[in-house]
Amino acid sequence: MSVLKDLDASVVFFFGTEFLTFKIPDFSVPHPVVTLFYITTNANSVLELGPKFSDICGENIELSDNRKRARWRHKYSAGRLFASRPMRVEEKLEVLLDGSGHVGIGIIKGDPSDLKDLRETGSCKLKLLTDIRVHKRECTVNITLRKENKVSKLDISYSGQKVVLKINNDEKFWLAFELKFGSVVIKMGKSTSVFMIDKDGYKTI
């Protein structure tokens, strides 16, 4: 038996090709509920609970050991980091900001591991969509990729604001983050989607 923990989300117990998922409850409510899922997989499938931050990041970024949390540490102006994998269609992510500073969130159309110099994103076309300002407070950012007939739409919602970017359905991209200055911590939070990866690609379960 093996155990996989997804921070602030769930604990998965593996038994060969079968696993149990316990959804960690919110203990701040009067009657917390533990949600249990039982799923059977095959030997060629891999369970994926959600992305973390890529270890490809700027000099100003300090990552936690599990790469679920990052903070800005000044070495030069701005610090860039990226999701560990491309955004999935119909995926919903929660990103948490805490502290004081400015945070840009956007996309990069290319694998961050191919970048030779993070100060120059070059042909990967880094596109920042937000300039979120926090001051001694927490801010929750909800990110969703919705597939429509001809294009997909990336929604970024925070503090009553919403940014929408149209993306071609066959276009692969990674989420990109830029911690600009201040003392701010960014945390990759909950993902409402779980994906099964096999030889034919990925699908939600």
Side-chain angles (χ1 to χ4, degrees), residues 78-92:
R80 292 170 177 164
L81 69 161
F82 311 92
S84 59
R85 60 159 173 78
M87 187 82 175
R88 309 293 193 200
V89 175
E90 305 303 334
E91 184 169 22
K92 298 179 181 179

Side-chain angles (χ1 to χ4, degrees), residues 158-175:
Y158 61 96
S159 302
Q161 301 185 55
K162 184 176 182 179
V163 178
V164 179
L165 177 67
K166 294 182 179 179
I167 300 171
N168 294 332
N169 284 333
D170 59 349
E171 198 163 21
K172 185 183 294 187
F173 69 91
W174 281 250
L175 289 174

Side-chain angles (χ1 to χ4, degrees), residues 162-194:
K162 184 176 182 179
V163 178
V164 179
L165 177 67
K166 294 182 179 179
I167 300 171
N168 294 332
N169 284 333
D170 59 349
E171 198 163 21
K172 185 183 294 187
F173 69 91
W174 281 250
L175 289 174
F177 308 86
E178 187 165 278
L179 281 58
K180 299 183 179 181
F181 60 83
S183 177
V184 62
V185 174
I186 180 170
K187 173 183 168 186
M188 194 73 82
K190 299 176 182 177
S191 172
T192 59
S193 302
V194 177

Side-chain angles (χ1 to χ4, degrees), residues 6-7 49-53 63-70 186-189:
D6 187 70
L7 188 63
L49 293 175
K52 50 189 174 182
F53 292 116
L63 291 172
S64 62
D65 290 341
N66 63 2
R67 304 211 317 265
K68 281 286 188 176
R69 186 188 299 267
I186 180 170
K187 173 183 168 186
M188 194 73 82

Side-chain angles (χ1 to χ4, degrees), residues 144-156:
T144 304
L145 183 60
R146 300 179 289 112
K147 185 176 182 179
E148 299 189 352
N149 291 332
K150 294 183 179 180
V151 296
S152 296
K153 290 184 178 180
L154 179 68
D155 296 341
I156 302 177

